[in-house]
């Protein structure tokens, strides 16, 4: 699998919140094993989608100089499974900042119904040692459907 | 990627505990995008490895007739900078349950030091779709153990 758990960034309020979406396709290889005969989007990949949303919010706020790495899951609850053909809508809000620590809350919905609720925290790090910032900016433009 | 994040199950002394190994390999396709300049194993997948090892214990206790689907995770820590070449020992403890679900806790150790943990994890038991899936569970568990 390509470890890209977002397909689109729908809206962004700098420093405060970001909304994105992940569509679930039967062609995604992890569904073969999760689970045999019963494909379900793995819950931790929803956590990863929220983590990547936080990364894009941090990157956008910092001129693509910073990124977010997950360190703690304070709580996560899944109320409904996402299956092939579903679009998972994700909304993430900054709850607290303390130096290079960031705490966020998130809720996902599938077909209008609440699917998951999470509270995560992690570390804000330099982006350049991880990724080419120019490439990250181009990827962000693709997610935002912006012209380069 | 194959979403099988436990490489081996290890013998344990009783029916309430399970242990396994997870090797972090540079060949893992997750590293293609995480990240281009420096490979760091995604923390969410370390959590999934712990969820899967304890999930195997839940499935075994139900005679392999269900999948264990994650529904709650609380008080979890994961390292943000795990590098390829790391071998994790995964440990899970089953704390309770019934035919509809189970719960427990898990941790991951590197060279004897705890690097990740989940304080509480809850699974829903989803019945297997049929005998083919039941046999797939038995075979997968057998190949790991």
């Amino acid at each position: 699998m390509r470890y890209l758990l977002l397909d689109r960034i729908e809206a962004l309020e700098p420093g405060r919140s970001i909304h994105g979406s992940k569509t679930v396709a039967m062609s995604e290889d992890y569904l073969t094993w999760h689970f045999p005969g019963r494909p379900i989007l793995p819950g931790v990949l929803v956590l990863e989608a929220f983590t990547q949303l936080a990364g894009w919010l941090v990157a956008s706020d910092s001129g693509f100089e910073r990124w977010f790495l997950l360190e703690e899951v304070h709580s996560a609850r899944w109320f409904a499974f996402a299956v092939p053909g579903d679009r998972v809508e994700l909304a993430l809000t900054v709850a607290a900042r303390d130096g290079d620590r960031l705490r966020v809350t998130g809720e996902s919905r599938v077909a209008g119904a609440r699917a998951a609720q999470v509270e995560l925290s992690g570390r804000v790090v330099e982006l350049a040692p991880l990724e080419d910032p120019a490439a990250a900016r181009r990827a962000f433009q693709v997610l935002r459907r912006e012209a380069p | 990627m194959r979403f099988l994040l436990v490489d081996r199950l290890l013998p344990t002394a009783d029916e309430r505990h399970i242990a396994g190994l997870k090797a972090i390999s540079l060949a893992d396709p997750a590293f293609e995008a995480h990240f281009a300049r420096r490979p760091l194993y995604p923390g969410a997948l370390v959590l999934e490895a712990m969820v899967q090892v304890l999930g195997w214990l839940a499935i075994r206790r139900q005679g392999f007739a269900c999948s264990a689907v994650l529904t709650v995770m609380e008080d979890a820590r994961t390292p943000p900078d795990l590098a390829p070449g790391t071998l994790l020992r995964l440990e899970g403890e089953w704390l309770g349950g019934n035919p509809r679900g189970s719960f427990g806790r898990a941790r991951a150790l590197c060279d004897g030091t705890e690097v990740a943990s989940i304080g509480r994890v809850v699974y829903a038991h989803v019945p297997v779709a049929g005998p083919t899936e039941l046999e797939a569970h038995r075979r997968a568990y057998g190949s790991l153990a």
Side-chain angles (χ1 to χ4, degrees), chain B residues 15-142:
Chain B
E15 286 296 303
R16 297 178 69 90
H17 294 85
I18 191 165
L21 298 176
K22 166 63 186 160
I24 311 294
S25 166
L26 189 52
D28 193 310
F31 286 127
E32 287 175 21
H34 202 278
F35 291 93
R37 287 182 171 173
R38 185 180 170 200
L40 297 179
Y41 196 66
L45 296 185
V46 177
L47 297 174
E48 176 67 15
M50 291 185 283
V51 168
Q52 287 193 9
V53 79
L54 186 56
W56 275 119
L57 181 53
I59 291 167
R60 190 179 75 195
R61 292 178 68 99
Q62 294 299 315
F64 299 98
C66 69
S67 294
V69 184
L70 175 65
T71 57
V72 175
M73 179 185 292
E74 290 174 338
D75 300 326
R77 295 185 306 110
T78 186
D81 52 0
L82 208 55
T86 301
L87 187 61
L88 292 177
R89 177 185 166 90
L90 309 168
E91 296 181 351
E93 182 180 6
W94 184 89
L95 295 173
N98 58 37
R100 292 190 296 125
S102 54
F103 65 98
R105 61 187 170 204
R107 63 180 191 155
L109 300 98
C110 180
D111 297 328
T113 301
E114 183 178 298
V115 295
S117 61
I118 304 175
R120 183 167 179 262
V121 56
V122 181
Y123 306 87
H125 297 161
V126 178
V128 294
T132 306
E133 288 71 34
L134 176 66
E135 185 54 29
H137 269 172
R138 288 187 191 280
R139 273 205 313 273
Y141 182 89

Side-chain angles (χ1 to χ4, degrees), chain A residues 1 6-7 17 26-27 41-42 50 66 73 79 91-92 114 122:
Chain A
M1 75 185 275
L6 292 171
D7 296 313
S17 66
M26 188 67 97
S27 58
L41 176 66
F50 280 117
R66 305 250 192 286
V73 180
F79 306 100
L92 181 129
R114 187 174 62 162

